[in-house]
Amino acid sequence: MEAGVGTLARLPEGSLDLVLLVTEPTLKSADVSRRAAGIIAERKIAEVVLVANRVRDRRDLELIRSAIPHARFHVFPEDDAVTAAERDGVAVLDLEPGSPAVAASQRLASLAFGQHGAG
Amino acid sequence: MKIALVGKGGCGKTTIAGLLARQLGRSGRQVIALDCDANPTLGISLGLGVEETDRLAGIRQALDAGDAEHAPSVAEMLERFGATAPDGVRLAIATKIDQPDPG
């Protein structure tokens, strides 16, 4: 499911298997993800993967990584195909199946289920 | 398996959720995508199209306004407030459920 931090704070212990903390390279986004990680840990909601989005360079990576230094980490690069898909109101996977974001999503899917085994 | 995408507004949760759901659907997994946003747009990222996504957004508005009743079960939620996207992904507008199924 896709939700904001407010929804997260209402979830009981063990209610999820995995939380993907999507974070773009801004201090505000990193701060929200850091606070969300704190809520998740305090309430023992689920395991966490820090997903760095719209990454352009090492500075972006380091900023996002610093939000939750010990979390599992996955990267989505900045991708013009995503911008084009959002402009056109279509799925980026349909618009440009070979784009970097699509490749990153395939790796994320493998990571998510690899972490928890088949099922 | 239950996965939630969380983050600051505008960080890309919807785009990544759509990509992940489609990838999992393509791999043969049964996927239900729940859009908890007050202005649901996950349908677009899933490839459902603007018209169908707007239809689902209208349902959310009706629920919030009290003009429609929440679904009493997951099955009914999917039937009344959902649609099927490419790769077999079932999208539903999140609503209150009186009889949640275990897991």
Side-chain angles (χ1 to χ4, degrees):
Chain A
M1 72 177 193
E2 187 237 341
V5 178
T7 301
L8 183 64
R10 294 192 289 273
L11 294 175
E13 178 177 338
S15 54
L16 298 168
D17 297 291
L18 185 65
V19 173
L20 304 178
L21 288 177
V22 182
T23 312
E24 59 180 342
T26 68
L27 287 175
K28 292 179 182 177
S29 182
D31 185 56
V32 167
S33 290
R34 184 183 302 112
R35 287 191 281 116
I39 294 171
I40 293 166
E42 182 181 329
R43 298 174 65 89
K44 301 178 183 176
I45 293 172
E47 294 182 50
V48 165
V49 172
L50 179 58
V51 177
N53 194 29
R54 302 187 182 122
V55 174
R56 297 158 298 181
D57 52 31
R58 181 176 291 279
R59 276 189 69 184
D60 287 350
L61 268 178
E62 290 173 352
L63 169 63
I64 296 170
R65 198 72 184 89
S66 69
I68 315 164
H70 304 295
R72 294 198 66 167
F73 193 60
H74 185 77
V75 178
F76 276 80
E78 181 71 83
D79 189 343
D80 290 340
V82 173
T83 305
E86 291 180 348
R87 178 195 63 212
D88 296 345
V90 298
V92 61
L93 190 147
D94 296 327
L95 184 67
E96 289 200 28
S99 71
V102 172
S105 69
Q106 197 165 33
R107 293 192 297 270
L108 181 60
S110 297
L111 182 154
F113 277 83
Q115 180 168 323
H116 288 270
Chain B
M1 184 178 182
K2 289 173 283 184
I3 303 173
L5 286 86
V6 177
K8 185 181 180 302
C11 70
K13 297 185 298 294
T14 302
T15 299
I16 291 175
L19 277 167
L20 182 61
R22 289 280 303 268
Q23 292 289 9
L24 293 174
R26 286 191 168 187
S27 69
R29 299 186 186 278
Q30 185 179 35
V31 180
I32 297 174
L34 299 178
D35 194 343
C36 305
D37 201 305
N39 184 22
T41 59
L42 182 55
I44 293 176
S45 295
L46 284 170
L48 204 58
V50 174
E51 190 175 321
E52 183 67 355
T53 301
D54 284 347
R55 183 185 73 81
L56 294 175
I59 292 173
R60 175 61 192 251
Q61 289 170 6
L63 286 168
D64 290 344
D67 296 333
E69 293 184 2
H70 291 277
S73 67
V74 172
E76 188 163 338
M77 179 184 74
L78 289 171
E79 182 181 335
R80 289 175 54 198
F81 307 133
T84 301
D87 296 314
V89 175
R90 301 183 72 187
L91 169 67
I93 302 303
T95 178
K96 292 188 294 185
I97 296 174
D98 292 330
Q99 300 167 23
D101 298 328

